[in-house]
Amino acid sequence: MCNRDLTALHMFLRSLQTFNVQPLPRLHEEHPMSKPRVRRATVAAATVVGLATAVSAGCGSDSDASSEGGVTTLTFAASTFGDPGRGPQLQEWIDEFNASQDEIRVEAASVPYPTFGQTVLTQMGGGEGPDLVRFDMPEFEAASDAGLIAPLDDLIDVDQYELLEQPDRFMVHDDVRHGIIFEASNYAMFYNADLIPEPPTTYEDFFATAQSLTSGDVFGLAFRQTEAEEAGVWQDIFNYVYGFGGAWSDGENLTINAPENLEGLQAYKDLYDANVIPRGADAATFRRMFAEGKVAMELNNGGYATHLRAESPDLNFSAAPIPFPVRSQGAILAPIVINEASEAKEEAATFIEWALQEENQVALQEILGASSVATATERSPESLQEMPFLTTFDELTESSLPQVVLGFEAQTPDIRKIVVQNVIAALQGEVDLQTALDDAQEQATELVG
């Protein structure tokens, strides 16, 4: 790979988030998060594509695809391949594709999660990188805005598949499809069934349960609340904001300091102030405490269920919908995309079409556990016997939302940083919560122009 100027290119990609490009008019729809995203960085995207072309000149192959002996080898990059539980099973799933093909082979490329987005975006911006990528939503949006993802409309006929409507709508930008859902992992309330025979169904019960089970070195609840875990705090507070009827934007304007957001974040702060959580503990620590029976409840996504089953097979836990006033919660959406720079787009599309076949979707969902896949599938009796709560996660799909700011998707990381810094300042008593949200609204509005 050519390294010349790639660091500068990545910084330019990040700078796309500050361009003042006004959105096109939108049609009104019932839920603000259901609106199709209008790309806000068209001019900047065109510029970065030009820069990417200049950087990649003289750098060799446009992608990692190679051909030898009549077989085209594709690279598929996903942080999930490094997961000790799911990674080996995903490799076996890919091996099944390879066994079914004579002219195409897919090789898995594991890039560590903390550096995945930066690494892959930098490679793609230089006209190189993997042919297939499993992105998280912020990186997906940034790559889409920068023109680094191949449109799929002419490569895959999606009409032949029963795609899940709610998560799939976020794969289409300005009537152009850029991705297919690889994994949709909804957030729910995990609870220790030995400590909580019947899960709470209201926020008041949730609060009271957390208080009653906090004693000594056992805590009723845990969530992230330190600036060091900025992305994780954003994921956690997303559930409180949307679970109380709030939203970060109306699709065209930021609404960070809306009354509903204040109500939800006040509920989050009230739990923090009640000392029902292990303050200062990071996610790795309090998840270990949950596995040891020292934390009674936490809000997490479906992928956590598979991790718990693998790491703590004797733990008696279950899951239920988050007991907030509005049934609306976050989801980890992970699209699979084709690199615009790939020289083997049709072969990459063949792999995605294979992945969308019913039997392969079922097999993928079995590997992913409590997550959903691109299409509607039916859980096996064996899976339901092992994890009866799987249907809880499936039923949340239509009310779950990706953890991005609608209308400002590619700018979400910078908006997230502003919001989290101000919310944590309020947690720590440096400022009242209303002022914190007002400050965040002002700072983020200035950022996006």
Side-chain angles (χ1 to χ4, degrees):
M1 173 180 171
C2 174
N3 291 320
R4 176 170 49 86
D5 291 337
L6 289 187
T7 300
L9 174 63
H10 176 67
M11 293 176 65
F12 184 84
L13 276 169
R14 292 279 294 168
S15 74
L16 282 174
Q17 300 166 357
T18 64
F19 275 79
N20 179 18
V21 181
Q22 296 303 315
L24 297 173
R26 300 173 182 272
L27 296 177
H28 175 74
E29 296 185 39
E30 182 175 354
H31 196 296
M33 283 300 289
S34 69
K35 297 178 182 178
R37 197 262 302 212
V38 174
R39 298 174 72 177
R40 302 175 61 88
T42 305
V43 175
T47 306
V48 78
V49 171
L51 178 60
T53 302
V55 170
S56 62
C59 287
S61 175
D62 285 340
S63 76
D64 288 343
S66 61
S67 182
E68 184 175 347
V71 176
T72 298
T73 299
L74 308 171
T75 53
F76 178 17
S79 59
T80 339
F81 292 131
D83 187 311
R86 300 189 291 179
Q89 297 179 66
L90 285 171
Q91 181 60 63
E92 292 176 4
W93 184 71
I94 290 176
D95 289 343
E96 291 182 15
F97 168 79
N98 291 335
S100 72
Q101 304 292 313
D102 295 326
E103 300 179 353
I104 307 172
R105 177 177 178 79
V106 172
E107 291 185 351
S110 176
V111 180
Y113 174 74
T115 59
F116 184 89
Q118 177 178 347
T119 300
V120 176
L121 279 176
T122 300
Q123 291 174 349
M124 293 173 69
E128 300 183 334
D131 303 281
L132 293 152
V133 184
R134 174 200 177 276
F135 268 132
D136 285 331
M137 283 299 288
E139 289 74 24
F140 169 68
E141 299 290 357
S144 173
D145 271 352
L148 302 178
I149 297 175
L152 299 181
D153 300 284
D154 295 333
L155 293 171
I156 300 172
D157 179 13
V158 299
D159 291 338
Q160 62 183 304
Y161 308 106
E162 188 183 350
L163 300 178
L164 296 175
E165 181 180 353
Q166 171 69 356
D168 185 66
R169 70 184 65 198
F170 297 99
M171 301 296 97
V172 179
H173 303 145
D174 298 344
D175 298 323
V176 177
R177 175 173 293 278
H178 287 112
I180 298 287
I181 291 293
F182 188 80
E183 178 178 7
S185 194
N186 305 321
Y187 271 69
M189 178 184 66
F190 286 80
Y191 64 95
N192 185 315
D194 288 332
L195 299 175
I196 307 173
E198 292 294 330
T201 58
T202 67
Y203 173 76
E204 291 72 22
D205 289 343
F206 180 69
F207 192 102
T209 300
Q211 280 188 312
S212 66
L213 293 176
T214 299
S215 178
D217 62 349
V218 176
F219 294 87
L221 183 66
F223 52 68
R224 287 164 289 203
Q225 16 69 46
T226 64
E227 199 169 328
E229 293 193 292
E230 175 195 306
V233 172
W234 175 262
Q235 292 171 347
D236 286 351
I237 65 176
F238 191 99
N239 296 310
Y240 288 84
V241 167
Y242 285 83
F244 279 78
W248 298 121
S249 80
D250 62 9
E252 296 181 356
N253 300 292
L254 296 176
T255 57
I256 294 170
N257 59 348
E260 296 84 358
N261 294 8
L262 175 63
E263 183 182 3
L265 291 173
Q266 186 63 57
Y268 168 82
K269 185 176 185 299
D270 288 345
L271 288 160
Y272 179 88
D273 291 342
N275 290 312
V276 298
I277 69 166
R279 288 191 183 184
D282 61 13
T285 300
F286 67 66
R287 286 173 182 171
R288 183 173 65 251
M289 293 172 66
F290 185 88
E292 295 171 350
K294 294 184 177 181
V295 166
M297 299 181 291
E298 63 170 300
L299 310 184
N300 213 323
N301 67 78
Y304 186 48
T306 307
H307 172 80
L308 278 174
R309 294 291 299 180
E311 297 297 317
S312 308
D314 298 327
L315 180 66
N316 182 19
F317 74 94
S318 190
I322 299 173
F324 293 169
V326 178
R327 184 58 52 81
S328 181
Q329 60 285 318
I332 303 294
L333 294 192
I336 183 172
V337 308
I338 297 175
N339 188 345
E340 176 62 39
S342 174
E343 295 181 337
K345 293 184 180 67
E346 291 187 2
E347 290 85 350
T350 296
F351 173 74
I352 295 177
E353 289 175 326
W354 176 86
L356 286 171
Q357 294 174 12
E358 182 178 358
E359 63 272 24
N360 300 322
Q361 285 281 281
V362 170
L364 178 60
Q365 187 169 55
E366 290 287 323
I367 294 168
L368 298 177
S371 298
S372 297
V373 286
T375 62
T377 59
E378 186 174 343
R379 300 283 186 179
S380 69
E382 294 78 14
S383 294
L384 291 174
Q385 183 175 1
E386 183 181 4
M387 293 187 284
F389 52 79
L390 288 177
T391 54
T392 295
F393 288 94
D394 295 341
E395 291 166 0
L396 292 171
T397 296
E398 292 305 311
S399 60
S400 292
L401 301 164
Q403 293 152 334
V404 294
V405 183
L406 182 67
F408 306 86
E409 289 85 354
Q411 296 163 301
T412 293
D414 288 336
I415 297 171
R416 175 184 71 198
K417 185 177 188 65
I418 290 170
V419 171
V420 169
Q421 285 179 339
N422 281 281
V423 169
I424 289 178
L427 286 188
Q428 296 175 350
E430 298 173 12
V431 65
D432 67 89
L433 187 56
Q434 179 67 71
T435 301
L437 295 185
D438 290 342
D439 288 347
Q441 175 75 18
E442 180 179 356
Q443 293 164 18
T445 299
E446 182 179 356
L447 168 75
V448 302

